[in-house]
Amino acid sequence: MKVAVIDLGTNTFHLIIAELTADDARICYKTNLPVRLGEGKINDNFIIQEAFERGLLALEKFSLLIKEHDVELVKATATSAIRSAENGVSFVKAAKNYAGIDIEVISGDEEAEYIFKGVRATGVIDQSSLIMDIGGGSTEFIICNKEALLWKKSYNIGAARLMQAFFHSDPITTADQNAITRHLDAELGDLKEVLNLYQPKHLIGSAGAFETFTGMLYPELSLKETKYHPIDIPAYKALSATFVASSHEEREKMPGLIRLRVDMIVMASILTDYILSAGNIEKLSLSTYDLKMGVLSDLQN
């Protein structure tokens, strides 16, 4: 059976088309479009008109691709930007009327569950681990081992939310960095408790910013052909420090840093640095599989 999975993220909409059999999921086609649904007012829980229209146009393009590939089943999931927006329901209705796509708005817990299933499918979980998925609107944390998911939670501390609330200078000031740290201290108290309880030593970053970190540290690596890859922590910390100390103009010129992440990578770096320190992490890896691959895995099963 041919299926399509659509992940309506805060920054990017993703489409995967796959042929499912009893034993395998073969990817036939994949693409993504930078929609920036959280532009301007994500912390006011509102999708501005320009972003609303970009989202509908992206779904219209996806709908045409789905028809071209004779897809039999479509699973579209919406996450933080749409579930928290006052006009999120209006967007879901408009998507059905405009592009013929039924969208399921999933909870943060459901999002974390799908992320776990996607990451587990790579085989990267080799010990007690902390999975981290930095989105634009939310960031999900999952504690797990090879056998099971042990704990999960979604927090409204995505890169777009942090950027709009705290990124007031170029480069970002020490004062703004300290404000982010205080905000994370206030938001992540229960995460620190479970980190102390389970003591995972392996941090697995799910796609997104972690693909950027990995791609820039290992430019010879083909991310499209990679399910997971280790990241040297000292090398990551040096790259993170470069991002945080640089200006927007300097980051625009960095090879391998896509335009959509030029500013959000600063927030992703600060957030990752915080977790590495809070969890006393000893090992860092990228998983290129994330929510959408978790949805695909669920459909296969």
Side-chain angles (χ1 to χ4, degrees), residues 144-164:
C144 61
N145 55 34
K146 287 194 289 186
E147 288 74 39
L149 188 159
L150 305 172
W151 180 92
K152 64 183 185 297
K153 189 168 180 180
S154 175
Y155 298 84
N156 282 332
I157 53 166
R161 290 189 193 275
L162 293 176
M163 190 169 74
Q164 288 179 31

Side-chain angles (χ1 to χ4, degrees), residues 6-292:
I6 300 174
D7 171 12
L8 292 85
T10 299
N11 295 321
T12 309
F13 285 6
H14 299 265
L15 169 68
I16 290 179
I17 296 173
E19 185 76 49
L20 294 188
T21 65
D23 306 313
D24 192 28
R26 183 177 63 85
I27 306 295
C28 308
Y29 181 86
K30 64 189 297 187
T31 189
N32 62 73
L33 291 169
V35 174
R36 291 177 289 119
L37 210 59
E39 181 185 11
K41 290 195 172 184
I42 190 169
N43 290 326
D44 297 325
N45 298 320
F46 190 78
I47 303 168
I48 64 172
Q49 187 61 32
E50 295 89 340
F52 199 104
E53 292 173 0
R54 284 196 300 268
L56 293 181
L57 287 172
L59 291 176
E60 182 183 39
K61 291 177 182 176
F62 285 179
S63 182
L64 292 172
L65 288 164
I66 286 166
K67 288 174 184 174
E68 284 178 20
H69 284 84
D70 296 320
V71 168
E72 299 166 64
L73 175 67
V74 178
K75 174 81 169 179
T77 56
T79 53
S80 179
I82 293 174
R83 71 172 168 250
S84 65
E86 294 173 11
N87 56 343
V89 172
S90 297
F91 184 85
V92 170
K93 290 179 180 176
K96 175 64 174 175
N97 294 332
Y98 188 80
I101 292 175
D102 289 303
I103 296 170
E104 179 186 358
V105 181
I106 61 174
S107 69
D109 268 1
E110 289 172 311
E111 187 174 357
E113 181 90 30
Y114 279 132
I115 291 164
F116 168 69
K117 289 176 179 177
V119 172
R120 181 176 60 182
T122 67
V124 68
I125 304 170
D126 61 349
Q127 57 182 284
S128 179
S129 300
L130 173 65
I131 298 170
M132 177 180 184
D133 187 295
I134 305 173
S138 63
T139 296
E140 284 67 46
F141 294 98
I142 301 104
I143 295 179
C144 61
N145 55 34
K146 287 194 289 186
E147 288 74 39
L149 188 159
L150 305 172
W151 180 92
K152 64 183 185 297
K153 189 168 180 180
S154 175
Y155 298 84
N156 282 332
I157 53 166
R161 290 189 193 275
L162 293 176
M163 190 169 74
Q164 288 179 31
F166 298 105
F167 204 161
H168 304 309
S169 56
D170 183 35
I172 189 169
T173 62
T174 301
D176 283 346
Q177 293 178 57
N178 291 338
I180 293 171
T181 298
R182 289 193 296 272
H183 179 64
L184 296 178
D185 283 340
E187 292 291 315
L188 299 178
D190 52 353
L191 173 64
K192 289 184 179 180
E193 289 178 9
V194 294
L195 288 175
N196 187 54
L197 175 64
Y198 291 105
Q199 299 192 353
K201 296 304 178 186
H202 187 186
L203 175 61
I204 303 168
S206 170
F210 291 93
E211 288 186 337
T212 296
F213 299 148
T214 307
M216 294 181 72
L217 289 171
Y218 309 97
E220 73 287 351
L221 184 70
S222 173
L223 290 174
K224 291 181 179 179
E225 298 173 6
T226 302
K227 290 183 179 181
Y228 64 88
H229 196 274
I231 302 172
D232 180 74
I233 291 179
Y236 157 75
K237 287 183 175 179
L239 179 64
S240 171
T242 299
F243 286 144
V244 173
S246 62
S247 67
H248 175 92
E249 184 179 359
E250 288 168 335
R251 289 190 300 276
E252 276 189 318
K253 296 175 182 175
M254 292 181 183
L257 182 54
I258 63 172
R259 186 177 179 183
L260 184 69
R261 295 201 184 114
V262 163
D263 289 328
M264 290 193 194
I265 201 67
V266 177
M267 299 297 103
S269 297
I270 292 171
L271 184 49
T272 304
D273 291 348
Y274 182 94
I275 297 301
L276 285 171
S277 175
N280 295 311
I281 299 297
E282 297 173 357
K283 182 177 178 181
L284 178 61
S285 297
L286 159 73
S287 163
T288 60
Y289 285 15
D290 55 3
L291 179 146
K292 50 191 176 291

